[in-house]
Amino acid sequence: MFCKRGFSMHTTVKSFCSSSYLTTIPLPSKRETHMWYITPDELKDASLIDQYLNVLSPSEKENVIRLPGDKLQRSAILARTLVRTTLARYTNSVVSPSLFKFRKNNFGKPEVDWQCDKNWKPPPLHFNLSHTSSLIACGVTVDMPIGIDVEEKQRKTRNNLSSLARRFFTLDEVDYLNTISNPEIQRQEFIKLWTLKEAYVKALGKGFSAAPFNTFTIRFRGTSRLSLQKCGHSNSEESEIIVETLAEPKNVTTNWRFALLELASSHYVAICVENKRIKGVENDPPLLKVWKTVPFIKDELLSETDSVRTISSFV
Amino acid sequence: MAAFTGTSSVMFLSSSSQQIKAPIRISSLKAVSLSTQRAKFPSLRMRSVPRFKVSCAAKPETVEKVCEIVRKQLALPAESTLSGDSKFSALGADSLDTVEIVMGLEEAFGISVEEESAQSIATVQDAADLIEKILETK
């Protein structure tokens, strides 16, 4: 087990982990959304994981030790390493990964607790993390609340889809799913819808009680019927994913923008950002950039490749 | 006897304070006297946000039954050590797992859980406490 042997609570950050080894990235512009992801199954090198452990805070390490089993411990270490190294990249080497502190907003959503220095103004970074056992992803923006959710495409549910849908989705969404006769496609559409709803609630950052799943419908703007089966690069309004709260269906705010991707043919990723209209700036859809990373070792920008297939882009 | 449930480490001292040397372990199985803690940490303030629920500790059998259901849903080995503090997300549960765990609990305990509660359960303890609360009012 990685964490059973003793380690010093006062571990100095090894030079391996200094931010000079981490590619610094220019801040996302206000019209960009960045996403970094890790695939835990490809990261089993024990010495690398040990070094990642040094990036974590003492309380994070404590939490890791308490987890049952190597796999969960590794996953937890990777998740915290991903968040810390990702954020560090955007500070132009000012803040190294191990120095970040975090806190939760009033509703439990994690955010950066910048340790302010008079000489340096921290960038207004927003981030959100999502994990499955096979993929951990961290989305980052400047000034735009963000929520992301990742699910395995092949994910099976213990309960049948109709009972899950009837219970958690709105009538419109249930109707949509019922129009799909192919059970495999229906299952995939269910997962896509789930990730979009999850991403929205996480972006809102007010906890689930603020927006229980059955109080809002996710659909395409153009038609009254949702169809996430179309994949394409159409930028028309018709293909924009929107959210409609049941309380005020006519008042479709365009505050929230969605993107839905298929990653490495194995996962669906939904991203939701708050579309703040900036005076004097064209309200273009956020550009999405996606990197696959092995922190300190390798980063691959994959957004324009086959690994990242856009099902529905930000419009 | 008041007991606190909630996250296990206290993180709401003001950010300029140092690492807490002796973190308050909030465990629902121990009684925590408010006055003692206030004496140790004078800047401890209870925000109005309900990070802690004052509730009676759920019975150990309930906690154990919840652990069993969680293990099953998340395909964890039978020997894996879970406790009240165990967070579903740390055990590998995504949001879909969480609601499926809750549905499993409903079946096992013969109860019905509201949607908002179903989606907000974060730990084994949260689940056990909610179950007992529902059973009490049945």
Side-chain angles (χ1 to χ4, degrees), chain A residues 29-237:
Chain A
S29 76
K30 293 194 175 187
R31 306 313 311 170
E32 281 182 351
T33 300
H34 289 184
M35 188 178 87
W36 296 77
Y37 75 92
I38 278 183
T39 39
D41 293 335
E42 294 169 14
L43 283 175
K44 290 186 174 162
D45 180 339
S47 63
L48 184 59
I49 303 289
D50 257 1
Q51 287 173 316
Y52 288 159
L53 196 52
N54 286 326
V55 171
L56 273 50
S57 70
S59 69
E60 286 170 347
K61 285 178 194 166
E62 211 186 279
N63 290 338
V64 167
I65 301 174
R66 290 202 244 127
L67 294 174
D70 275 355
K71 191 161 183 246
L72 289 178
Q73 288 195 359
R74 178 162 44 98
S75 194
I77 293 169
L78 289 174
R80 297 318 301 162
T81 304
L82 179 64
V83 175
R84 287 171 170 277
T85 54
T86 299
L87 293 171
R89 295 171 197 274
Y90 297 99
T91 64
N92 204 25
S93 301
V94 172
V95 185
S96 71
S98 57
L99 296 182
F100 278 90
K101 290 203 193 296
F102 298 92
R103 60 168 181 238
K104 293 191 174 163
N105 76 3
N106 283 342
F107 304 95
K109 183 176 183 183
E111 50 188 37
V112 182
D113 185 5
W114 295 103
Q115 307 299 293
C116 287
D117 182 310
K118 289 195 188 104
N119 301 321
W120 183 69
K121 188 164 177 245
L125 292 175
H126 290 253
F127 74 93
N128 195 234
L129 189 67
S130 175
H131 32 122
T132 61
S133 57
S134 48
L135 196 138
I136 308 173
C138 182
V140 183
T141 63
V142 157
D143 251 355
M144 290 193 282
I146 177 173
I148 79 171
D149 192 51
V150 178
E151 284 291 351
E152 285 173 15
K153 257 182 85 172
Q154 294 310 311
R155 196 194 199 295
K156 300 286 189 286
T157 55
R158 192 171 285 272
N159 293 277
N160 76 44
L161 292 185
S162 333
S163 53
L164 284 168
R166 267 182 283 120
R167 185 152 173 189
F168 292 103
F169 288 177
T170 61
L171 287 176
D172 281 343
E173 291 166 339
V174 172
D175 283 347
Y176 164 64
L177 289 173
N178 284 336
T179 63
I180 306 168
S181 48
N182 181 321
E184 179 54 22
I185 307 256
Q186 195 192 54
R187 195 189 54 78
Q188 288 177 3
E189 294 306 296
F190 174 91
I191 306 274
K192 288 175 191 171
L193 206 40
W194 187 278
T195 56
L196 285 164
K197 291 171 83 78
E198 186 70 14
Y200 171 64
V201 174
K202 291 175 82 181
L204 276 178
K206 294 190 179 142
F208 289 106
S209 19
F213 274 17
N214 58 12
T215 61
F216 63 91
T217 292
I218 298 247
R219 62 174 183 81
F220 279 126
R221 179 191 281 284
T223 63
S224 56
R225 309 183 97 244
L226 169 65
S227 174
L228 297 167
Q229 297 174 60
K230 300 190 201 120
C231 92
H233 306 275
S234 161
N235 281 334
S236 76
E237 275 205 359

